[in-house]
């Protein structure tokens, strides 16, 4: 069994291209999500109308007229939302789950009470609406101010994490300094920034202001559609269903999430911080924002086709992710598709010099291709967008975004796995030669 000596954590040194890329993404991503709102709000979702107005008004006049304005109510509301979620995260009971060994050899514990937080949040919202204390369309009606608030918080969060990494790191040996402030701000320095022993920035921000908000925003835009059009379209109900399945699945399997790339390998900076609090709630709900304004009524064959693809994608996604988790948690002593699991037993080193064992599954979905779980995600993302029809590109941004990040992940993850497992990764690639779809990619 070959043990690779090379370091397999995030690359340390920034190059001019990674710095330029970081600067580009930090600038363009917020502009993109704000432009999406302007296009929906003022230009009927038409990109052509949006760009025509930019070119006829000029960028400065256009920005002065259409840029979202901060609102005190939305800012206070958002601050209360963060405090409320932080309180639930801190106080609700939940099992203690274990993450994955970090490159420096740390094995962290996490309180996984996300499902309870999701249930409490949604229950309170529905109860408050039922008793007339809350307008369900509140979020949709205050979207402009919220858009400003989430962006401001996302930028401040990444800045706070950058400073914290220098002055008060949680796990000093799991920090990566690149030599570039911009690159460090973008990708983060600390792998697992925390307050105290258990209060984990990544788990909190991705799960709570990010994923709990996802279905709450859906609910709000569905109410908005009802209030403005007098009915609820089957298309928005199908998106709501797909999103709810995805979100509830995430929280039921919150323990599994601790061993995904986000949690195990990505450091916490703008990419994950701003991404979780600003991009996730605004881009991942783009279909409901679109449908609430421009309802689409699907025919029965369309409903059947979309539901089949989306639910099939979910089954594939869950089954592939489960197979990987179960083979490792049982140390290979399990059946996959009725047969004994096949795997490669391999070793790797952490930076403290210790050697550890791991398994690479080669049967089931992981023998079909090296990232079948991504294929399941892509099928779901496609279905979530297909409900909006093919007339407009905007609701398809979600699918395009997921396709881009998963394609990028395939490449960067395989580079990291090669560093971590060396020859055994090459052996795995020779046994399972396709990355996503056999015969295509
Ligand atoms: P994976 O859960 O596929 O994790 C990849 C890691 O698994 C590798 O780095 C390696 O880590 C380990 N691994 C690779 N091959 C094998 C194998 N054959 N057997 C056992 N372990 C293996 O990737 P992600 O964390 O990116 O994704 C998790 C899920 O989340 C996916 O379904 C994805 O589609 C979804 N996702 C959704 C996103 C969204 O925004 N909707 C964004 C990103 C992901 P190691 O050996 O170091 O443990």
């Amino acid at each position: 069994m070959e043990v690779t000596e090379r370091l397999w954590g995030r690359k340390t040194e920034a190059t001019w291209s990674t710095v330029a890329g970081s600067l580009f993404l930090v600038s363009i991503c917020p502009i993109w999500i704000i432009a999406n709102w302007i296009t929906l709000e003022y230009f009927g979702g038409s990109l052509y109308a949006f760009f025509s107005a930019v070119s006829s008004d000029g960028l400065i006049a256009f920005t002065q007229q259409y840029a979202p304005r901060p609102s005190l109510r939305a800012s206070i509301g958002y601050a209360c939302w963060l405090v409320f979620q932080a309180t639930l995260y801190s106080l609700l009971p939940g099992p203690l789950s274990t993450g994955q060994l970090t490159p420096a050899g740390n094995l962290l514990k996490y309180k996984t009470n996300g499902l309870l937080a999701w249930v409490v949040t949604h229950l309170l919202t529905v109860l408050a609406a039922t008793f007339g204390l809350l307008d369900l369309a509140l979020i949709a009606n205050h979207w402009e101010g919220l858009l400003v608030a989430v962006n401001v918080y996302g930028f401040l969060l990444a800045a706070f994490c950058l400073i914290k990494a220098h002055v008060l790191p949680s796990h000093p040996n799991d920090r990566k300094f690149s030599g570039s402030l911009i690159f460090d701000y973008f990708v983060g320095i600390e792998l697992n920034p925390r307050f105290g022993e258990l209060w984990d920035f990544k788990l909190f921000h991705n799960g709570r202001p990010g994923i709990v908000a996802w279905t709450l925003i859906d609910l709000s835009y569905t109410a908005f559609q009802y209030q403005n059009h007098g009915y609820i379209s089957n298309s928005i109900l199908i998106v709501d269903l797909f999103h709810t399945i995805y979100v509830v699945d995430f929280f039921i399997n919150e323990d599994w999430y601790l061993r995904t790339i986000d949690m195990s390998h990505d450091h916490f900076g703008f990419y994950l911080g701003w991404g979780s609090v600003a991009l996730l709630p605004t881009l991942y709900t783009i279909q409901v924002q679109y449908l609430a304004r421009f309802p689409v009524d699907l025919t029965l064959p369309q409903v059947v086709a979309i539901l089949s693809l989306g639910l099939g994608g979910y089954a594939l996604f869950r089954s592939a992710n489960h197979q990987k988790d179960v083979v490792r948690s049982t140390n290979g002593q399990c059946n996959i598709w009725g047969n004994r699991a096949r795997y490669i037993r391999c070793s790797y080193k952490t930076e403290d010099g210790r050697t550890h064992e791991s398994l690479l599954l080669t049967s089931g979905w992981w023998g079909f291709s090296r990232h079948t779980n991504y294929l399941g995600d892509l099928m779901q993302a496609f279905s979530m967008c297909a409900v909006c029809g093919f007339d407009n590109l905007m609701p398809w941004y979600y699918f395009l975004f997921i396709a881009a990040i998963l394609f990028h992940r395939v490449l960067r993850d395989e580079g990291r796995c090669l560093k971590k497992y060396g020859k055994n990764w090459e052996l795995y690639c020779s046994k399972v030669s396709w990355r996503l779809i056999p015969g295509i990619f």
Side-chain angles (χ1 to χ4, degrees), residues 8 100-101 206 211 214 246 250 256-257 259-266 271 279-280 284 316-318 320-321 323-325 327-328 342-344 346 348 358-363 365-367 369-378 380-381 384 398 401-402 405-406 409-410 412-414 416-417 420-421 425 428 432:
W8 47 273
Q100 184 149 310
L101 266 179
N206 185 278
I211 296 187
W214 193 346
Y246 201 84
F250 173 87
W256 152 81
Y257 177 63
R259 290 173 293 281
T260 62
I261 292 177
D262 284 355
M263 292 300 288
S264 314
H265 305 301
D266 286 341
Y271 171 76
L279 183 122
L280 195 159
Y284 286 27
L316 177 56
F317 159 91
R318 176 48 34 226
N321 284 320
Q323 285 181 357
K324 186 189 94 169
D325 219 31
V327 78
R328 287 194 166 174
R342 291 194 304 277
Y343 50 82
I344 299 167
C346 36
Y348 63 94
S358 191
L359 304 180
L360 291 173
L361 180 61
T362 57
S363 59
W365 293 118
W366 298 82
S369 79
R370 302 201 291 271
H371 301 277
T372 317
N373 52 348
Y374 290 177
L375 188 59
D377 222 320
L378 288 170
Q380 291 178 89
M384 289 169 188
Y398 174 70
F401 175 79
I402 291 293
I405 59 163
L406 293 184
R409 252 175 207 233
V410 167
R412 78 181 164 104
D413 184 48
E414 298 216 338
R416 196 187 54 78
C417 286
K420 185 171 178 181
Y421 299 119
W425 183 257
Y428 174 52
V432 185

Side-chain angles (χ1 to χ4, degrees), residues 221-233 236 291-293 295 297:
Y221 270 103
T222 306
F224 181 93
Q225 185 189 64
Y226 182 73
Q227 290 174 8
N228 288 283
H229 297 275
Y231 81 112
I232 298 178
S233 65
I236 207 167
L291 291 171
R293 294 173 170 95
D297 300 306

